[in-house]
Amino acid sequence: MIDLERIRGDFPILDRIVNGHKLVYFDNAATTQKPIQVINAIVDYYKFHNSNVHRGVHTLSQEATELYESAHEEAAKFIGAEGLEEIVFVKNTTEAINLVAYSLGMWSLEPGDEVVITAMDHHSNIVPWHLMSELKGFKLRIVRVKQDGTLDLEDLADKVSSKTRIVAVPHVSNVLGVVNDVKSIAKIAHEVDALILVDGAQSVPHMPIDVRDLDIDFLAFSGHKMLGPTGIGVLYGRRDILGSMRPFLGGGDMISEVHSDVETGKCTITYNAPPWRFEAGTPNIAGAVGLAEAIRYLRNIGMENVLLHERDLVEYTLRRMEELGKTHVYGPRDPGKRLGVVSFNVEGLDSHETAMMLDSYGIMVRSGLHCAQPLHETLSIQTTTRASFYIYNTREEVDRFIEALKEIEMVA
Ligand code: C6P
């Protein structure tokens, strides 16, 4: 298991007193805190190695390039990818999904094609496909969610057909923590020669992931939700698929050659190989360095241990929440079916009121729609308050959360 005291010592922010109480940070699904190792790696990069990558023969540029490329290698190893050429650095999960939607949408999707998404999706796996379907005239199919919050796999199997080109699904719901059976979904997609994109924003930070074992074509995730800095994320793409895709953004570093003809106004361009083909312009080098350090930190703990720790916290939280009289919890009761997210409502209170009251106890949670309005509509809920855990959270913090909710219930 994990050494909680040692881990907590690595996170300076956890020593803060907020509203007169020791900080309890339960908003990890939105973004996680950063250990001192990640903060120092970024400072060190700017102090000693800062330069542009792939653009200089001088020593600093070589050092920055080495750090940047090895960060791709770290990310590849972390998710079981074959190597750096399968790892595109982007801003976040949102940009990773947009990259696939625009690149495939602009160049290869047509009227008559279908893209399958779900009613469980975060808006970032709905809006890009919607925009592209409006532009290109292909159809979206949306898989139902059952009332217990799990995905309706029969509906998915019905909606995937020979017209399906892409199946894009969340691995883990950011509202309910429900874990989807991505391996089975990949099988269903591949039977009709469709590609599968997995939104891993809430899975990659919390469980061991092996893209080859899952047999998926794309995986999107964000560095800031796994101890890394904001502004860096990853698109994993299977080597042969990325190799056949046209770029989404154009600019420096994503080309091999550019020729322009001043007479005809024509340009002749050949594109660089992946991943650089999809990384136009100066990238977030310091972000990549921070992400690599975050990955090393998580690897030292072991992703199996991260998963076990969160399962323990969820199981303990769900059990203790049964002591509450006016608090309704959403999603499956079986802690084995969900990761470290618990969404709920206190009778008589709006989700934002609950979050503000918890804040007065020094407990940070998120409230609202969590960028997943269709899921709330499916479950006929206005909004929810959400507690989400990570490696530094403790059972004692859960106790404080439960005691605070008991007091909140009394005034609700
Ligand atoms: N969910 C939450 O509080 P970005 O913002 O691009 O790093 O991640 C987008 C995203 C995509 N998919 C899922 C399943 C997500 O949970 C998120 C981010 C945050 O739930 C912010 S809305």
Side-chain angles (χ1 to χ4, degrees):
M1 286 299 277
I2 69 183
D3 183 347
L4 264 173
E5 208 174 312
R6 220 196 72 216
I7 288 174
R8 287 181 66 83
D10 289 334
F11 291 79
I13 206 167
L14 298 181
D15 290 333
R16 267 199 67 176
I17 302 295
V18 179
N19 297 325
H21 301 272
K22 192 149 193 221
L23 170 69
V24 172
Y25 187 78
F26 279 177
D27 195 15
N28 294 288
T31 198
T32 61
Q33 298 303 341
K34 321 302 172 198
I36 194 67
Q37 291 83 344
V38 168
I39 298 167
N40 285 343
I42 295 167
V43 171
D44 188 76
Y45 166 74
Y46 277 126
K47 273 165 101 175
F48 302 114
H49 308 288
N50 178 52
S51 191
N52 212 326
V53 293
H54 299 156
R55 287 160 174 85
V57 292
H58 58 79
T59 301
L60 286 192
S61 180
Q62 297 297 316
E63 286 174 9
T65 300
E66 159 62 23
L67 284 167
Y68 187 63
E69 293 192 353
S70 65
H72 284 70
E73 300 281 5
E74 285 286 1
K77 245 192 294 166
F78 191 62
I79 57 166
E82 278 182 15
L84 135 166
E85 59 285 353
E86 294 191 319
I87 301 293
V88 181
F89 278 169
V90 288
K91 218 164 48 186
N92 46 33
T93 305
T94 304
E95 189 177 296
I97 297 171
N98 272 273
L99 192 163
V100 178
Y102 276 80
S103 178
L104 292 180
M106 284 194 298
W107 303 112
S108 64
L109 295 181
E110 295 171 349
D113 289 340
E114 293 184 356
V115 170
V116 175
I117 57 173
T118 79
M120 191 189 282
D121 273 297
H122 186 276
H123 296 164
S124 62
N125 196 38
I126 300 174
V127 184
W129 299 111
H130 165 78
L131 286 169
M132 206 30 81
S133 74
E134 285 202 311
L135 188 70
K136 296 299 301 282
F138 61 82
K139 190 172 169 188
L140 281 186
R141 307 294 307 270
I142 303 173
V143 178
R144 287 176 202 285
V145 170
K146 297 191 212 168
Q147 282 309 299
D148 69 353
T150 58
L151 201 59
D152 187 337
L153 282 181
E154 280 176 29
D155 192 47
L156 185 138
D158 280 348
K159 284 178 174 154
V160 172
S161 74
S162 57
K163 294 183 190 160
T164 309
R165 299 286 310 283
I166 297 157
V167 178
V169 293
H171 198 169
V172 172
S173 159
N174 66 320
V175 180
L176 304 173
V178 167
V179 187
N180 291 317
D181 181 357
V182 162
K183 208 168 171 174
S184 299
I185 298 172
K187 221 180 214 172
I188 296 170
H190 288 152
E191 268 162 21
V192 296
D193 288 332
L195 299 176
I196 174 164
L197 176 146
V198 174
D199 171 354
Q202 302 293 352
S203 63
V204 176
H206 304 283
M207 61 195 280
I209 298 282
D210 185 321
V211 287
R212 274 180 284 181
D213 177 55
L214 292 174
D215 194 21
I216 56 180
D217 303 307
F218 297 106
L219 175 70
F221 58 101
S222 298
H224 70 95
K225 292 186 195 294
M226 46 187 283
L227 310 179
T230 50
I232 186 85
V234 175
L235 172 69
Y236 156 80
R238 231 178 61 203
R239 180 200 294 258
D240 54 324
I241 299 171
L242 284 183
S244 68
M245 276 166 59
R246 295 240 223 158
F248 159 46
L249 295 171
D253 210 29
M254 48 76 71
I255 44 76
S256 296
E257 285 185 43
V258 177
H259 306 281
S260 62
D261 186 327
V262 292
E263 295 301 327
T264 63
K266 277 203 167 151
C267 296
T268 312
I269 299 172
T270 48
Y271 302 117
N272 206 342
W276 322 122
R277 181 185 302 168
F278 302 99
E279 295 190 6
T282 300
N284 183 355
I285 308 160
V289 169
L291 175 61
E293 193 61 34
I295 290 173
R296 283 189 285 272
Y297 191 93
L298 286 171
R299 192 161 336 98
N300 278 342
I301 294 173
M303 291 310 291
E304 273 300 338
N305 293 327
V306 172
L307 178 64
L308 284 175
H309 178 64
E310 284 189 33
R311 281 248 156 90
D312 175 69
L313 285 180
V314 169
E315 196 258 332
Y316 183 67
T317 306
L318 292 176
R319 189 150 34 93
R320 287 232 50 201
M321 281 182 112
E322 284 170 12
E323 295 167 26
L324 301 167
K326 294 203 271 178
T327 301
H328 302 279
V329 181
Y330 302 102
R333 287 291 170 274
D334 178 356
K337 285 195 177 152
R338 54 199 291 168
L339 291 190
V341 175
V342 178
S343 288
F344 58 95
N345 273 315
V346 179
E347 259 171 49
L349 290 179
D350 170 61
S351 66
H352 296 304
E353 288 172 328
T354 307
M356 279 165 64
M357 288 166 105
L358 284 166
D359 181 69
S360 71
Y361 291 86
I363 301 169
M364 316 286 115
V365 295
R366 190 176 167 188
S367 49
L369 287 165
H370 317 296
C371 304
Q373 193 160 10
L375 180 60
H376 282 80
E377 286 175 352
T378 301
L379 301 176
S380 308
I381 341 168
Q382 292 281 318
T383 59
T384 47
T385 311
R386 182 188 70 185
S388 53
F389 309 122
Y390 212 29
I391 46 171
Y392 34 72
N393 292 128
T394 65
R395 280 188 173 210
E396 290 69 34
E397 289 180 321
V398 174
D399 291 338
R400 272 184 55 197
F401 169 68
I402 299 291
E403 295 317 314
L405 279 175
K406 282 183 181 168
E407 291 185 18
I408 290 169
E409 280 192 344
M410 282 198 278
V411 295

